[in-house]
Amino acid sequence: MDFGLTQPQELLRDSIARFLAQDVGIERVRRVMDSESGRDEAIHGQLGDQGITGLLIDMDLGGSELGMQEAAIAAQEIGRAAAPVNFHSAYVLAPLMLAGADAGDRKNALLEGIAEGSSLITPILDAPIDDGRIDGTVLYVPDAAWSDAFLLETGGSLYLLDSSISGIDITPLETVDDTRRVAEVTFAGLDLGAAESLGGSAENTRRAVQAAQIALAADALGAAQKGLHISVEYAKERKQFERIIGSFQAVKHICAEVLAEVDPVQSLLWHTADAWDGGSDEIDHLAPLLKAHATDVASNAVTMTTQVFGGMGFTHECDMHIFYKRAGYDRQMLGNPTALREQAAAVMYG
């Protein structure tokens, strides 16, 4: 089977890449990274104007009604640009979880807001809900500091909680990746009645999480590919001992080995996205295996290509560290490689 892109998908990829290159360049990314808040207020609206926020949302709700292959294309380009947006959370996990909710008119209004880029909803899986209370702390919640609402999930049931109500404490956390901010969210014994029940199912949540894992894998792949690209470009220009360093065998080997590791991940990404779109049973082990393998490969790739720059590669002034850290974030979110391989093994072998 051919897992290459169709012509419409190639056009989508080129359109997203062009937009990100023109409007979300590395200078803008660095401004967000260096800011205290880490927030880019305009980017969600811009992504909405490009149709990126609504790729997985029905057309009658303002989306594009496309599939996981198209979402993976977007995630890969976003990773390649190191764009300051938690695409996997805001525009994959949130809309897919909401799509499986029971509250018709209410969920439709929420999805319309996501599709146009005017509403930012942050899902919290396995929310601390017990005995009719929301009480506990959740770590590493994406976009928590400026989210409009939290989509709380427990046992497949969904609850929408306005982020501005009293009893919610949000503490920003420092992580390896400054392009995407996370926070510690503490719920101080809120009555569950303060949240709006939306129904839902465990099966829908499982599918949504798998899609988000695919998006994180795609983001990591994009970061690894961009890291290799800028390393090769640097090796073609940098001189040492009056020779271009790209002519040195050691540098050639680094770049060639990274390419050999990274390139096959593309086919695995397309295959897994296709399995998700087709509802294949294989997705239960493919999604965790893809994320485990893609983020492992990406982490190794950016570690190796950073060495092409020598000591400068680890400095703030060198762009290489941005993609190094990007891959590190993708590696840990929604399951680290070890946990995901154990999950896949349990599915495959019992």
Side-chain angles (χ1 to χ4, degrees), residues 238-245 247-248:
R238 169 68 171 166
K239 284 188 176 182
Q240 198 170 47
F241 307 115
E242 299 184 354
R243 289 179 57 189
I244 296 294
I245 66 170
S247 66
F248 298 157

Side-chain angles (χ1 to χ4, degrees), residues 224-240:
Q225 289 172 329
K226 184 57 179 285
L228 176 59
H229 172 75
I230 63 177
S231 296
V232 170
E233 292 302 306
Y234 177 78
K236 288 158 60 177
E237 296 178 358
R238 169 68 171 166
K239 284 188 176 182
Q240 198 170 47

